[in-house]
Amino acid sequence: LVHGPLERLPIEFLFRDDPIVPLILPGLPEPRPGKQFSPSDLSTWILLGNPVDDEGDDKLPGAGEELREVAKIHGMKPLTPRAGDVQAASLDEAGVQLRVGAAFDRKALTAALEGNHPIHIATHLIHGSHLIHGCEGGQGRIADVGLEISAGSSFCAREILGSKPRPLAVLDACETAEGRFVDAEGLHGVARAFLESGTRNLLVTLWPVEDQAARSFAEKFHRELISGRRPSEAAAAARAHLRASRGIHAADWAAFRLVGRD
């Protein structure tokens, strides 16, 4: 149970050589964060990300590649080059829903948060004055941060507070654990908003990571989940996978944190 500046400490790095799977909680969140986890809760995934700008150009092509690969891992047929480019890809198949490019908009993210399926979001974290849609300037317990969506818009952390409880949320964005210190109770940003809404487990990043490392981690994490591993175990296995990969530095694998209780 970490507080204040300790939330920025990569606890996972300290346990890298031990057969220990840490369960980390920031501050003192909701004492009953969603129902007890069951592998059957991960039968349907919603995958969103790779926002495009007003001109239709993709801002995170690596995120698009990551999401399409994760979609294939969960059984979606490989996308054609036309469907997989920066244009809108809005596809549904048994066990997976994919929204990338222009399809990753406010409507898509709102619909995803109104359900209780596990969710994987790959985008940028936006701070303060860069937020749009009335998110900036708030004085509440939730930090002035949000997620970038398409068409130059954003989805602020405070909007996530009203989402449904879910067993797992993967927030593969730069610094998704980031936020503002409030009375030493923790980083009250996007991650806090998900916790307070009842999400039981979150995968977040403590700082920006290289695209290939993020994609490799995400693919291994989802494969481990499919094999029956619990989220904390899957995260530990994915970190070990990156550690064993050539050219991957500690700054890339130690950034990933599983926050929750399994």
Side-chain angles (χ1 to χ4, degrees):
L1 184 64
V2 291
H3 285 267
L6 289 180
E7 293 192 17
R8 299 174 185 266
L9 179 68
I11 305 297
E12 298 78 3
F13 181 83
L14 303 180
F15 292 117
R16 64 191 184 280
D17 297 323
D18 298 313
I20 295 174
V21 178
L23 288 175
I24 298 171
L25 286 174
L28 295 171
E30 168 60 41
R32 293 182 296 277
K35 68 175 184 177
Q36 188 71 30
F37 173 81
S38 170
S40 63
D41 294 331
L42 305 183
S43 59
T44 299
W45 276 85
I46 302 177
L47 313 175
L48 311 100
N50 186 23
V52 297
D53 60 21
D54 293 330
E55 304 299 323
D57 296 323
D58 61 331
K59 305 190 76 171
L60 288 169
E65 295 174 3
E66 171 187 316
L67 291 170
R68 290 190 286 274
E69 188 61 35
V70 170
K72 287 195 297 182
I73 291 172
H74 287 284
M76 181 171 281
K77 296 177 183 178
L79 304 181
T80 64
R82 183 72 176 176
D85 63 16
V86 299
Q87 303 303 315
S90 182
L91 302 173
D92 294 338
E93 290 190 14
V96 61
Q97 300 174 23
L98 179 67
R99 305 285 186 270
V100 297
F104 175 45
D105 55 12
R106 173 165 293 276
K107 180 180 178 181
L109 184 51
T110 299
L113 295 177
E114 288 176 347
N116 59 2
H117 293 303
I119 189 172
H120 182 130
I121 304 173
T123 186
H124 274 140
L125 185 76
I126 303 180
H127 299 259
S129 61
H130 297 288
L131 287 164
I132 304 174
H133 197 72
C135 298
E136 68 278 10
Q139 299 298 319
R141 67 187 183 282
I142 300 298
D144 296 327
V145 296
L147 300 172
E148 183 174 16
I149 54 180
S150 288
S153 189
S154 57
F155 202 96
C156 64
R158 288 188 293 279
E159 295 180 277
I160 297 172
L161 285 172
S163 62
K164 293 288 185 67
R166 66 194 67 248
L168 175 61
V170 178
L171 308 179
D172 197 355
C174 291
E175 300 172 324
T176 44
E178 187 64 70
R180 178 184 65 226
F181 288 110
V182 180
D183 296 330
E185 290 185 3
L187 295 171
H188 289 200
V190 174
R192 170 67 62 168
F194 270 100
L195 284 174
E196 290 197 11
S197 71
T199 294
R200 188 175 182 89
N201 297 284
L202 298 97
L203 181 68
V204 298
T205 54
L206 298 175
W207 53 76
V209 295
E210 189 271 331
D211 274 356
Q212 184 54 46
R215 177 178 173 180
S216 180
F217 186 97
E219 292 175 10
K220 180 64 173 177
F221 178 74
H222 280 271
R223 292 186 189 280
E224 292 294 322
L225 291 175
I226 290 175
S227 74
R229 294 282 191 101
R230 302 181 73 80
S232 59
E233 297 170 329
R239 281 192 297 271
H241 173 70
L242 288 189
R243 290 202 308 272
S245 302
R246 295 188 62 182
I248 301 295
H249 300 286
D252 289 320
W253 61 258
F256 294 95
R257 167 167 295 173
L258 192 286
V259 181
R261 304 183 182 183
D262 271 347

